[in-house]
């Protein structure tokens, strides 16, 4: 038993020396990430920075543009916007077997095909001048004097840098980097494949990210010789951190006299004051949250594919009655007719399939799409019975029930755009289609547009509890009562920071003692040493390290 305790103390002591500084950085950077997230261009921001389509001359209709480009195959969707080089372009996404919205789809390296809506020319190998034009359009569409006076400057091309580690950008690499020259010192990243702005990062975001996400996610190990080992580094540091926190908790409990006589100093801790006492006390107070956050951080990595259920992809093509066919299909309404039926502020038209119909989604910066019939340009509404029958084809299993959510709940909720899971389209009301399959699949569908918003199953819901709930505290009653959420997380984070910083000081002192003792000749010892695990009333740092 004595040897077991000694090993317990030694493991905690030396893991603390190695990892307490990492813990401190995790806690501090976590507070930063509560308010400044990793740079992203959300769908809403992207629409805000696109110029209005109404009044823009469109020479080629969709079928004409596809024929001019030689695209006869099925599509997943077709978009029209002033999104590339400041000119109207069609962006055609080829049909794929990948589930729309899934990680595999987002990481697919199959880039969309971009067609000039005036000439029918395919846009390939985007030049620096083309990227500058895209950036200028992005800046000027803000409608502010500062943006209008900005002079974008091409900074070169990057494969991947500190703000573009997202695998969703793989299809767009290498990326043109352009400084807008605006008051916010914004840098935008332009796809070399499509010429679209795919990411923006202001000076504030860039600076705070070095104190936030860049540190928290251990991004110093990304984009360099350590890149292939980044996942393993994060996983094993987290596992070592869990061991450190667990052993520290056990040691702290063993050293604290909950009952019976106190130590000679009058304290229930063997340390009468100083860093050791602070480390001991904060360790007991914040042990649970430290263990929880390190463990949930590990769960965010989906270590060893724990949360991959192996469920087959959703059959979205079957749901919508096949892929999109425009080149050889029925006559289509003109772009001008579609724009006349939509709101004046439309920024993008999207031709898609929805519950057996070819429709056009007219998107404005409000984030609410107007649904139009692709043939007649008339306003289109999807009948609930029709959508229910279509949704049943998504999974090869019976539909157990269809729920209508008029408010967010624990599994379908919205987060601030800057957060890790924020910025996605989370409209209300929404349908939750529950399937009676072995994976207990739920699919969320927008009943207005028929768009599949996402899926979840038993494994993914487990990940939601073990990561989002435990790490970000995505608990709706708390999220809805801000600043209570902020106060709770900041107090707990500061407690964890105090625990970690005191551990850094104690560890540094331990190393200094070891260094001095190693530099001096060893003295003969005649008395039996006090075991590190033995209870003592002596308030000495050598009595044990919590």
């Amino acid at each position: 038993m004595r040897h077991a305790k000694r090993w317990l103390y030694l493991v905690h002591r030396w893991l603390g020396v190695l990892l307490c500084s990492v813990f401190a950085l995790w806690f501090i950077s976590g507070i930063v990430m509560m308010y400044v997230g990793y740079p992203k261009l959300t769908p809403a921001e992207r629409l805000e920075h696109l110029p209005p389509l109404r009044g823009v001359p469109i020479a080629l209709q969709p079928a004409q543009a596809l024929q001019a480009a030689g695209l006869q195959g099925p599509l997943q969707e077709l978009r029209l916007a002033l999104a590339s080089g400041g000119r109207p372009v069609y962006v055609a996404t080829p049909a794929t077997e990948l589930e729309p919205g899934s990680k595999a789809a987002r990481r697919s390296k199959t880039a969309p095909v971009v067609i000039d809506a005036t000439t029918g020319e395919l846009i390939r190998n985007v030049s620096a001048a083309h990227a500058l034009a895209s950036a200028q359009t992005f800046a000027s569409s803000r409608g502010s004097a500062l943006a209008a006076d900005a002079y974008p400057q091409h900074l070169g091309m990057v494969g991947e840098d500190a703000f573009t580690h997202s695998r969703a950008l793989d299809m767009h690499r290498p990326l043109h980097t352009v400084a807008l020259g605006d008051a916010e010192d914004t840098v935008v990243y332009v796809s070399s494949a499509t010429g679209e702005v795919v990411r923006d990062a202001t000076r504030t975001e860039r600076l705070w990210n070095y104190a936030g996400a860049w540190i928290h996610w251990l991004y110093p190990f990304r984009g360099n010789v350590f890149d292939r080992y980044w996942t393993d580094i994060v996983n094993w540091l987290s596992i070592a951190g869990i061991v450190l926190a667990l052993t520290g908790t056990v040691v702290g409990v063993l050293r604290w006299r909950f009952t019976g006589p106190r130590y000679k100093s009058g304290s229930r801790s063997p340390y009468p004051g100083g860093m050791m006492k602070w480390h001991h006390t904060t360790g007991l107070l914040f042990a649970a949250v430290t263990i929880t956050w390190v463990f949930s951080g590990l769960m965010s990595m989906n270590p060893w594919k724990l949360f991959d259920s192996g469920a087959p992809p959703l059959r979205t093509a079957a749901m919508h009655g096949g892929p999109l066919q425009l080149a050889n299909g029925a006559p289509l309404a003109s772009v001008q007719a579609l724009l006349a039926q939509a709101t004046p502020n439309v920024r993008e038209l999207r031709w898609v399939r929805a519950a057996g119909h070819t429709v056009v989604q007219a998107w404005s910066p409000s984030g609410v799409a107007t649904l139009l019939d692709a043939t007649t340009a008339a306003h289109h509404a999807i009948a609930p019975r029709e959508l229910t029958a279509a949704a049943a084809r998504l999974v090869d299993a019976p539909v157990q029930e269809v729920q209508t959510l008029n408010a967010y709940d624990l599994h379908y909720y919205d987060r601030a755009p800057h957060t890790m899971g924020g910025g996605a389209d989370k409209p209300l009301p929404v349908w939750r289609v529950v399937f009676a399959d072995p994976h207990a699949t739920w699919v969320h569908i927008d009943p207005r547009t028929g768009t599949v918003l996402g899926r979840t199953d038993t494994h993914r819901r487990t990940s939601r509890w073990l990561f989002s709930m435990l790490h970000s505290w995505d608990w709706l009653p708390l999220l809805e009562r801000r600043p209570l959420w902020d106060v709770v997380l900041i107090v707990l984070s500061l407690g964890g920071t105090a625990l970690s910083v005191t551990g850094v000081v104690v560890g540094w002192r331990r190393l200094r003692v070891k260094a001095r003792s190693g530099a001096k000749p060893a003295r003969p010892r005649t008395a039996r040493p006090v075991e590190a695990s033995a209870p003592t009333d002596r308030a000495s740092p050598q009595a044990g390290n919590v």
Side-chain angles (χ1 to χ4, degrees), residues 422-444:
D425 188 21
K426 292 292 183 71
L428 286 172
V430 68
W431 281 13
R432 175 178 291 157
V433 184
V434 180
F435 290 91
D437 65 320
H439 304 284
T441 300
W442 299 354
V443 180
H444 293 109

Side-chain angles (χ1 to χ4, degrees), residues 257-271:
R257 290 186 175 176
F258 292 92
T259 60
R262 297 172 180 255
Y263 291 93
K264 287 184 177 180
S265 63
S267 172
R268 295 197 178 275
S269 171
Y271 316 107

Side-chain angles (χ1 to χ4, degrees), residues 260-525:
R262 297 172 180 255
Y263 291 93
K264 287 184 177 180
S265 63
S267 172
R268 295 197 178 275
S269 171
Y271 316 107
M275 284 294 169
M276 283 300 298
K277 183 174 182 179
W278 277 107
H279 187 63
H280 192 187
T281 305
T282 55
L284 291 175
L285 289 174
F286 298 100
V289 72
T290 300
I291 295 169
T292 298
W293 272 338
V294 179
F295 170 76
S296 56
L298 173 63
M299 293 300 100
S300 73
M301 299 296 294
N302 186 19
W304 304 286
K305 310 299 181 183
L306 288 177
F307 303 119
D308 289 359
S309 64
L314 296 178
R315 303 186 300 183
T316 51
M319 171 188 175
H320 296 309
L324 182 66
Q325 295 276 10
L326 295 178
N328 300 314
L332 299 172
S334 68
V335 170
Q336 292 74 16
L338 292 166
L339 291 174
Q341 290 295 319
T343 60
N345 204 23
V346 168
R347 306 301 176 91
E348 185 172 69
L349 296 179
R350 299 179 195 169
W351 285 260
V352 298
R353 292 282 290 173
H357 300 274
T358 299
V359 297
V360 179
Q361 299 173 354
W363 287 91
S364 66
S366 67
V368 178
T370 301
L371 203 63
L372 304 171
D373 187 283
T375 302
T376 66
H379 286 260
H380 181 82
I382 303 175
R385 182 178 299 178
E386 195 173 41
L387 185 58
T388 301
R393 296 192 288 269
L394 280 170
V395 176
D396 186 17
V399 174
Q400 186 171 315
E401 64 175 320
V402 178
Q403 305 169 357
T404 300
L405 303 182
N406 293 303
Y408 295 126
D409 66 5
L410 290 173
H411 294 280
Y412 181 83
Y413 57 94
D414 199 15
R415 288 298 313 272
H418 72 272
T419 59
M420 185 174 177
D425 188 21
K426 292 292 183 71
L428 286 172
V430 68
W431 281 13
R432 175 178 291 157
V433 184
V434 180
F435 290 91
D437 65 320
H439 304 284
T441 300
W442 299 354
V443 180
H444 293 109
I445 299 174
D446 184 347
R448 292 184 62 259
T449 64
T451 304
V452 175
L453 301 172
R455 72 177 297 176
T456 181
D457 54 31
T458 303
H459 285 69
R460 298 185 195 193
R461 288 191 289 275
T462 301
S463 173
R464 179 263 182 276
W465 290 115
L466 295 183
F467 167 50
S468 300
M469 176 64 183
L470 295 182
H471 205 73
S472 304
W473 289 45
D474 286 359
W475 184 46
L476 209 58
L478 194 58
L479 288 173
E480 293 176 338
R481 289 165 176 79
R482 298 188 69 175
L484 179 61
W485 178 85
D486 304 71
V487 171
V488 170
L489 264 69
I490 289 175
V491 168
L492 294 177
S493 297
L494 290 176
T497 302
L499 166 63
S500 305
V501 170
T502 55
V504 170
V505 174
V506 170
W508 173 248
R509 290 175 177 173
R510 167 65 61 176
L511 290 177
R512 288 176 60 190
V513 169
K514 286 291 183 182
R516 285 199 300 265
S517 63
K520 296 178 181 180
R523 296 181 180 179
R525 304 182 67 174

Side-chain angles (χ1 to χ4, degrees), residues 128-208:
H130 189 111
L132 279 169
S134 295
Q136 179 68 63
T137 303
F138 184 91
S140 61
S141 63
R142 297 177 182 182
S144 67
L146 284 175
D149 294 340
Y151 295 95
Q153 179 182 359
H154 193 270
L155 302 179
M157 300 184 71
V158 297
E160 187 173 337
D161 66 9
F163 312 110
T164 58
H165 289 310
S166 171
R167 296 278 69 87
L169 297 176
D170 283 352
M171 70 175 69
H172 301 289
R173 304 184 199 279
L175 301 166
H176 292 271
T177 58
V178 180
L180 296 187
D182 58 355
E184 297 176 317
D185 191 21
T186 304
V187 172
V188 297
Y189 296 84
V190 180
S191 168
S192 63
T194 68
E196 298 176 282
V197 173
V198 292
R199 177 148 298 185
D200 66 332
T202 65
R203 177 178 56 243
T204 299
E205 286 179 319
R206 297 195 303 274
L207 291 177
W208 278 109

Side-chain angles (χ1 to χ4, degrees), residues 203-290:
R203 177 178 56 243
T204 299
E205 286 179 319
R206 297 195 303 274
L207 291 177
W208 278 109
N209 258 270
Y210 282 113
W214 191 73
I215 288 294
H216 200 79
W217 294 339
L218 301 183
Y219 274 178
F221 297 106
R222 292 291 304 273
N224 49 44
V225 295
F226 298 104
D227 192 83
R228 61 184 295 187
Y229 307 109
W230 173 76
T231 298
D232 290 331
I233 290 171
V234 176
N235 286 344
W236 287 108
L237 274 179
S238 300
I239 292 171
I242 293 170
V243 174
L244 168 62
L246 286 173
T247 54
T249 303
V250 175
V251 170
V253 170
L254 289 175
R255 300 293 291 157
W256 189 271
R257 290 186 175 176
F258 292 92
T259 60
R262 297 172 180 255
Y263 291 93
K264 287 184 177 180
S265 63
S267 172
R268 295 197 178 275
S269 171
Y271 316 107
M275 284 294 169
M276 283 300 298
K277 183 174 182 179
W278 277 107
H279 187 63
H280 192 187
T281 305
T282 55
L284 291 175
L285 289 174
F286 298 100
V289 72
T290 300

